[in-house]
Short mmCIF file of all heavy atoms in Angstrom, two decimals:
data_model
loop_
_atom_site.label_atom_id
_atom_site.label_comp_id
_atom_site.label_asym_id
_atom_site.label_seq_id
_atom_site.Cartn_x
_atom_site.Cartn_y
_atom_site.Cartn_z
N VAL M 36 53.71 -24.75 -123.70
CA VAL M 36 54.84 -24.64 -124.62
C VAL M 36 55.52 -23.25 -124.54
O VAL M 36 56.73 -23.18 -124.69
CB VAL M 36 54.34 -24.93 -126.06
CG1 VAL M 36 55.46 -24.67 -127.02
CG2 VAL M 36 53.83 -26.37 -126.20
N PHE M 37 54.74 -22.27 -124.26
CA PHE M 37 55.31 -20.90 -124.10
C PHE M 37 56.32 -20.88 -122.94
O PHE M 37 57.36 -20.30 -123.03
CB PHE M 37 54.13 -19.92 -123.77
CG PHE M 37 54.62 -18.51 -123.57
CD1 PHE M 37 54.93 -17.69 -124.63
CD2 PHE M 37 54.64 -17.98 -122.28
CE1 PHE M 37 55.37 -16.39 -124.46
CE2 PHE M 37 55.03 -16.64 -122.04
CZ PHE M 37 55.41 -15.85 -123.16
N GLY M 38 55.99 -21.63 -121.87
CA GLY M 38 56.95 -21.74 -120.79
C GLY M 38 58.24 -22.47 -121.16
O GLY M 38 59.32 -22.05 -120.76
N HIS M 39 58.04 -23.55 -121.88
CA HIS M 39 59.26 -24.30 -122.32
C HIS M 39 60.17 -23.47 -123.24
O HIS M 39 61.41 -23.53 -123.10
CB HIS M 39 58.82 -25.57 -123.08
CG HIS M 39 58.10 -26.54 -122.24
ND1 HIS M 39 58.48 -26.94 -120.98
CD2 HIS M 39 56.88 -27.21 -122.47
CE1 HIS M 39 57.62 -27.79 -120.50
NE2 HIS M 39 56.63 -27.95 -121.34
N LYS M 40 59.55 -22.70 -124.11
CA LYS M 40 60.35 -21.84 -125.01
C LYS M 40 61.13 -20.79 -124.21
O LYS M 40 62.31 -20.45 -124.51
CB LYS M 40 59.45 -21.19 -126.08
CG LYS M 40 58.91 -22.18 -127.08
CD LYS M 40 58.01 -21.46 -128.09
CE LYS M 40 57.55 -22.46 -129.16
NZ LYS M 40 56.64 -21.84 -130.15
N ASN M 41 60.50 -20.19 -123.23
CA ASN M 41 61.19 -19.19 -122.42
C ASN M 41 62.16 -19.84 -121.49
O ASN M 41 63.16 -19.13 -121.04
CB ASN M 41 60.12 -18.36 -121.58
CG ASN M 41 59.45 -17.30 -122.44
OD1 ASN M 41 59.94 -16.21 -122.54
ND2 ASN M 41 58.35 -17.67 -123.09
N GLY M 42 61.99 -21.13 -121.21
CA GLY M 42 62.94 -21.83 -120.36
C GLY M 42 64.33 -21.94 -121.05
O GLY M 42 65.32 -22.12 -120.34
N VAL M 43 64.35 -21.81 -122.34
CA VAL M 43 65.63 -21.94 -123.11
C VAL M 43 66.53 -20.79 -122.69
O VAL M 43 67.81 -20.95 -122.60
CB VAL M 43 65.41 -21.91 -124.65
CG1 VAL M 43 66.72 -21.87 -125.43
CG2 VAL M 43 64.64 -23.18 -125.04
N SER M 44 66.01 -19.63 -122.47
CA SER M 44 66.78 -18.47 -121.98
C SER M 44 67.45 -18.74 -120.64
O SER M 44 68.62 -18.37 -120.34
CB SER M 44 65.93 -17.21 -121.89
OG SER M 44 65.38 -16.85 -123.16
N ALA M 45 66.67 -19.47 -119.77
CA ALA M 45 67.30 -19.86 -118.42
C ALA M 45 68.37 -20.84 -118.61
O ALA M 45 69.37 -20.81 -117.84
CB ALA M 45 66.16 -20.39 -117.53
N VAL M 46 68.24 -21.73 -119.58
CA VAL M 46 69.32 -22.72 -119.84
C VAL M 46 70.56 -21.91 -120.30
O VAL M 46 71.68 -22.23 -119.83
CB VAL M 46 68.90 -23.69 -120.98
CG1 VAL M 46 70.14 -24.51 -121.42
CG2 VAL M 46 67.83 -24.62 -120.52
N ARG M 47 70.43 -20.94 -121.09
CA ARG M 47 71.56 -20.10 -121.53
C ARG M 47 72.19 -19.40 -120.37
O ARG M 47 73.37 -19.32 -120.27
CB ARG M 47 71.07 -19.18 -122.63
CG ARG M 47 72.18 -18.45 -123.39
CD ARG M 47 71.72 -17.56 -124.45
NE ARG M 47 70.97 -18.31 -125.49
CZ ARG M 47 69.72 -18.18 -125.73
NH1 ARG M 47 68.96 -17.36 -125.01
NH2 ARG M 47 69.14 -18.92 -126.68
N GLU M 48 71.32 -18.88 -119.45
CA GLU M 48 71.85 -18.16 -118.31
C GLU M 48 72.68 -19.16 -117.44
O GLU M 48 73.76 -18.76 -117.00
CB GLU M 48 70.68 -17.64 -117.49
CG GLU M 48 70.19 -16.29 -117.94
CD GLU M 48 71.11 -15.13 -117.62
OE1 GLU M 48 71.43 -14.98 -116.43
OE2 GLU M 48 71.55 -14.45 -118.53
N ALA M 49 72.13 -20.30 -117.21
CA ALA M 49 72.87 -21.29 -116.34
C ALA M 49 74.19 -21.68 -116.96
O ALA M 49 75.19 -21.72 -116.30
CB ALA M 49 71.97 -22.49 -116.12
N LEU M 50 74.17 -21.95 -118.30
CA LEU M 50 75.41 -22.37 -118.98
C LEU M 50 76.40 -21.26 -119.03
O LEU M 50 77.61 -21.48 -118.77
CB LEU M 50 75.01 -22.85 -120.37
CG LEU M 50 76.16 -23.41 -121.21
CD1 LEU M 50 76.88 -24.53 -120.47
CD2 LEU M 50 75.66 -23.87 -122.56
N GLU M 51 75.98 -20.05 -119.39
CA GLU M 51 76.91 -18.92 -119.46
C GLU M 51 77.49 -18.61 -118.02
O GLU M 51 78.67 -18.32 -117.90
CB GLU M 51 76.24 -17.72 -120.03
CG GLU M 51 75.94 -17.84 -121.53
CD GLU M 51 75.23 -16.61 -122.09
OE1 GLU M 51 74.93 -15.66 -121.34
OE2 GLU M 51 75.03 -16.59 -123.35
N GLY M 52 76.62 -18.78 -117.05
CA GLY M 52 77.16 -18.59 -115.64
C GLY M 52 78.22 -19.60 -115.30
O GLY M 52 79.18 -19.31 -114.68
N ALA M 53 77.93 -20.87 -115.66
CA ALA M 53 78.88 -22.00 -115.41
C ALA M 53 80.21 -21.71 -116.10
O ALA M 53 81.27 -21.91 -115.47
CB ALA M 53 78.28 -23.32 -115.91
N VAL M 54 80.17 -21.26 -117.34
CA VAL M 54 81.38 -20.93 -118.10
C VAL M 54 82.09 -19.79 -117.48
O VAL M 54 83.33 -19.75 -117.32
CB VAL M 54 81.05 -20.66 -119.58
CG1 VAL M 54 82.32 -20.15 -120.29
CG2 VAL M 54 80.55 -21.90 -120.26
N GLU M 55 81.34 -18.81 -117.03
CA GLU M 55 81.90 -17.57 -116.52
C GLU M 55 82.74 -17.81 -115.26
O GLU M 55 83.81 -17.17 -115.10
CB GLU M 55 80.76 -16.60 -116.14
CG GLU M 55 81.17 -15.14 -115.92
CD GLU M 55 79.94 -14.28 -115.71
OE1 GLU M 55 78.92 -14.46 -116.39
OE2 GLU M 55 79.99 -13.39 -114.85
N ILE M 56 82.33 -18.74 -114.41
CA ILE M 56 83.11 -18.94 -113.17
C ILE M 56 84.04 -20.19 -113.32
O ILE M 56 84.79 -20.43 -112.39
CB ILE M 56 82.24 -19.05 -111.95
CG1 ILE M 56 81.27 -20.25 -112.12
CG2 ILE M 56 81.48 -17.77 -111.73
CD1 ILE M 56 80.49 -20.52 -110.80
N GLY M 57 83.87 -20.95 -114.37
CA GLY M 57 84.79 -22.06 -114.60
C GLY M 57 84.37 -23.42 -114.09
O GLY M 57 85.15 -24.25 -113.70
N LEU M 58 82.98 -23.68 -114.09
CA LEU M 58 82.50 -25.01 -113.68
C LEU M 58 82.94 -26.06 -114.73
O LEU M 58 82.90 -25.74 -115.93
CB LEU M 58 80.97 -24.98 -113.58
CG LEU M 58 80.36 -24.38 -112.33
CD1 LEU M 58 78.82 -24.62 -112.39
CD2 LEU M 58 80.92 -24.94 -111.05
N SER M 59 83.25 -27.24 -114.25
CA SER M 59 83.63 -28.30 -115.18
C SER M 59 82.48 -29.03 -115.78
O SER M 59 82.50 -29.43 -116.92
CB SER M 59 84.60 -29.25 -114.53
OG SER M 59 85.78 -28.58 -114.11
N TYR M 60 81.41 -29.27 -115.00
CA TYR M 60 80.25 -30.07 -115.43
C TYR M 60 78.94 -29.42 -114.98
O TYR M 60 78.82 -29.05 -113.80
CB TYR M 60 80.32 -31.52 -114.79
CG TYR M 60 81.47 -32.33 -115.31
CD1 TYR M 60 82.71 -32.31 -114.69
CD2 TYR M 60 81.33 -33.11 -116.46
CE1 TYR M 60 83.77 -33.08 -115.11
CE2 TYR M 60 82.39 -33.93 -116.91
CZ TYR M 60 83.64 -33.87 -116.26
OH TYR M 60 84.66 -34.63 -116.69
N LEU M 61 78.02 -29.36 -115.91
CA LEU M 61 76.67 -28.87 -115.65
C LEU M 61 75.72 -29.88 -116.31
O LEU M 61 75.79 -30.10 -117.51
CB LEU M 61 76.46 -27.49 -116.25
CG LEU M 61 74.99 -26.92 -116.10
CD1 LEU M 61 74.68 -26.59 -114.64
CD2 LEU M 61 74.87 -25.61 -116.96
N THR M 62 74.81 -30.45 -115.49
CA THR M 62 73.90 -31.49 -116.04
C THR M 62 72.47 -30.97 -115.82
O THR M 62 72.08 -30.59 -114.69
CB THR M 62 74.10 -32.82 -115.34
OG1 THR M 62 75.41 -33.26 -115.61
CG2 THR M 62 73.18 -33.88 -115.92
N LEU M 63 71.65 -30.98 -116.88
CA LEU M 63 70.31 -30.47 -116.82
C LEU M 63 69.31 -31.59 -117.11
O LEU M 63 69.43 -32.34 -118.09
CB LEU M 63 70.12 -29.36 -117.88
CG LEU M 63 71.13 -28.19 -117.85
CD1 LEU M 63 70.81 -27.22 -118.99
CD2 LEU M 63 71.01 -27.47 -116.52
N TYR M 64 68.29 -31.63 -116.23
CA TYR M 64 67.24 -32.68 -116.36
C TYR M 64 66.28 -32.11 -117.39
O TYR M 64 65.34 -31.36 -117.05
CB TYR M 64 66.58 -32.91 -115.04
CG TYR M 64 65.85 -34.19 -114.82
CD1 TYR M 64 65.86 -35.21 -115.79
CD2 TYR M 64 65.19 -34.46 -113.61
CE1 TYR M 64 65.20 -36.42 -115.58
CE2 TYR M 64 64.51 -35.63 -113.43
CZ TYR M 64 64.55 -36.59 -114.38
OH TYR M 64 63.93 -37.83 -114.15
N ALA M 65 66.46 -32.49 -118.63
CA ALA M 65 65.70 -31.88 -119.74
C ALA M 65 64.37 -32.60 -120.04
O ALA M 65 63.36 -32.00 -120.42
CB ALA M 65 66.53 -31.82 -120.96
N PHE M 66 64.38 -33.97 -119.91
CA PHE M 66 63.15 -34.78 -120.26
C PHE M 66 63.33 -36.10 -119.56
O PHE M 66 64.27 -36.86 -119.87
CB PHE M 66 63.10 -34.94 -121.74
CG PHE M 66 61.77 -35.46 -122.26
CD1 PHE M 66 60.72 -34.53 -122.50
CD2 PHE M 66 61.54 -36.75 -122.46
CE1 PHE M 66 59.49 -34.96 -122.96
CE2 PHE M 66 60.26 -37.26 -122.88
CZ PHE M 66 59.25 -36.34 -123.17
#
């Protein structure tokens, strides 16, 4: 669970990076 909680920061990194460069779609395999 500790890993899953820290994985949220990586989700934020991926999403902010996508927004930063202008990606239209980002899909994450969450479950």
Side-chain angles (χ1 to χ4, degrees):
V36 173
F37 179 76
H39 296 311
K40 289 180 178 178
N41 279 271
V43 173
S44 296
V46 170
R47 191 176 299 113
E48 276 287 304
L50 183 56
E51 290 180 356
V54 171
E55 195 174 323
I56 61 172
L58 283 185
S59 296
Y60 293 88
L61 176 68
T62 300
L63 305 178
Y64 203 4
F66 194 88

